Amino acid sequence: MILELRNIEKSFGDKQVLTGVSFKAEGGKAFGLLGRNGAGKTTSIRILMNVFPANGGEVLMDGKPIDYDKVGFGYLPEERGLYPKKIIIDQLIYFAELKGMSRRKAIESIDYWLERLGMMEYRNKRLDTLSKGNQQKIQLVTALAHDPEIVILDEPFSGLDPVNAMLLKDVVKEQIAKSKIVLFSSHQMSYIEEFCDSIAILNNGRVALHGDLHDIKRDYPRDRLVVRTEKPDAIKADFGAACTVGENGALMIQLRSADEKKAVMSRLAEKYDIDEVKVFEPSLNDIFVEYAGDAPKED
């Protein structure tokens, strides 16, 4: 499966919110939709899910206009949408039936997910008796119970402790392994970097960067080395102003050109007691800061 937004335009009155937004997400891979608050992520997701139409452009599945009657979406919103005073199982069944499941199949699937997420004991309780993290897991059940082809996760790790975050990671990996399209929208770059094969960064309603994350990193100039050592002083003296100390204590050596890296790495390994030397690659956080911009507008 290939899901594509192609040249999407959206305005609300005189306000242009999206301008020519295009990106692709593939089945069996995770895709990260990134941007500062107000960059256009939520609007893009709502158009993708047919919550409201675009003013221009297309949403395609495998190159054809998407048929929303045949493609299932599972959505975990950043702002939770369940009813706090209602019994959990009752509303989970209600939402599953809205998505076309029979009551029997809905109960069977819901109970599987409640058990999978360690939530079966809360089945017949009101939602507002649960912690924020457990409410998050109940919301996840609504996104997955109907076995959708496309799973959209908006800040999915918000409010989760490390144990539950690990559980969610396992669930996400399972969805990817089933060849589903998994789309993340998050400000937690470590999770995006861990899961996503490709990304799109929005800036003021436009795609500032889009592509395979590994390729994006490889395209950066490879003219800096990261060196870890217990004896940095001699290396700093040798390389002078070209050698700086990073926040994590590692040395950063700026080369005159990328062609020098092999020779300098060999020199370091032969001359000094080093623990590690490697070519510097920017983190996703570095890339985000560079491309996300500093002038957000309303989503």
Side-chain angles (χ1 to χ4, degrees), residues 68-82:
Y68 288 100
D69 293 327
K70 295 181 179 179
V71 178
F73 283 82
Y75 180 42
L76 178 68
E78 180 178 6
E79 299 297 330
R80 309 310 169 214
L82 298 181

Side-chain angles (χ1 to χ4, degrees), residues 225-254:
L225 299 179
V226 178
V227 182
R228 298 186 187 279
T229 177
E230 295 297 321
K231 300 177 180 179
D233 292 342
I235 297 175
K236 287 192 289 184
D238 190 358
F239 285 87
C243 181
T244 58
V245 181
E247 292 181 2
N248 59 4
L251 300 179
M252 183 80 72
I253 297 176
Q254 178 67 57

Side-chain angles (χ1 to χ4, degrees), residues 67-295:
D67 185 342
Y68 288 100
D69 293 327
K70 295 181 179 179
V71 178
F73 283 82
Y75 180 42
L76 178 68
E78 180 178 6
E79 299 297 330
R80 309 310 169 214
L82 298 181
Y83 301 103
K85 303 297 183 182
K86 297 295 184 181
I87 299 299
I88 287 168
I89 185 62
D90 293 341
Q91 55 182 315
L92 289 177
I93 292 171
Y94 170 72
F95 282 113
E97 289 179 331
L98 283 180
K99 294 167 184 173
M101 299 188 81
S102 69
R103 184 177 182 84
R104 183 180 65 81
K105 287 288 188 182
I107 293 173
E108 181 181 307
S109 180
I110 289 164
D111 282 347
Y112 165 80
W113 280 110
L114 290 176
E115 186 69 34
R116 176 74 176 82
L117 298 173
M119 298 297 292
M120 187 61 83
E121 65 181 290
Y122 304 108
R123 187 179 190 271
N124 296 304
K125 295 188 177 182
R126 288 188 349 187
L127 187 71
D128 61 1
T129 65
L130 274 59
S131 67
K132 181 179 178 182
N134 282 338
Q135 289 185 31
Q136 171 85 331
K137 291 198 285 184
I138 295 298
Q139 185 86 54
L140 181 62
V141 176
T142 69
L144 300 177
H146 59 297
D147 196 25
E149 291 89 350
I150 300 169
V151 179
I152 300 174
L153 305 172
D154 194 351
E155 297 294 353
F157 295 95
S158 176
L160 296 183
D161 60 43
V163 173
N164 281 321
M166 185 65 67
L167 178 60
L168 178 55
K169 286 182 182 182
D170 291 341
V171 170
V172 170
K173 290 174 183 176
E174 290 170 6
Q175 298 299 301
I176 294 170
K178 291 180 179 179
S179 296
K180 296 186 179 185
I181 294 171
V182 178
L183 190 152
F184 278 93
S185 178
S186 179
H187 291 107
Q188 295 175 284
M189 296 297 145
S190 61
Y191 291 121
I192 298 292
E193 196 153 17
E194 179 176 353
F195 283 108
C196 293
D197 299 278
S198 56
I199 62 167
I201 297 178
L202 299 182
N203 182 356
N204 284 334
R206 300 176 184 270
V207 176
L209 182 68
H210 174 223
D212 180 275
L213 183 54
H214 177 74
D215 291 342
I216 289 170
K217 289 184 175 185
R218 290 284 301 180
D219 284 344
Y220 274 73
R222 302 179 66 78
D223 59 356
R224 284 181 286 176
L225 299 179
V226 178
V227 182
R228 298 186 187 279
T229 177
E230 295 297 321
K231 300 177 180 179
D233 292 342
I235 297 175
K236 287 192 289 184
D238 190 358
F239 285 87
C243 181
T244 58
V245 181
E247 292 181 2
N248 59 4
L251 300 179
M252 183 80 72
I253 297 176
Q254 178 67 57
L255 306 176
R256 286 173 293 186
S257 76
D259 295 337
E260 286 188 318
K261 63 177 181 289
K262 287 185 179 179
V264 174
M265 290 170 80
S266 295
R267 170 183 160 195
L268 286 164
E270 292 171 2
K271 190 173 180 181
Y272 302 103
D273 179 16
I274 61 172
D275 298 318
E276 180 185 25
V277 58
K278 64 181 181 179
V279 176
F280 170 78
E281 281 192 347
S283 68
L284 181 54
N285 191 71
D286 297 326
I287 296 168
F288 180 85
V289 169
E290 178 177 349
Y291 283 92
D294 56 4

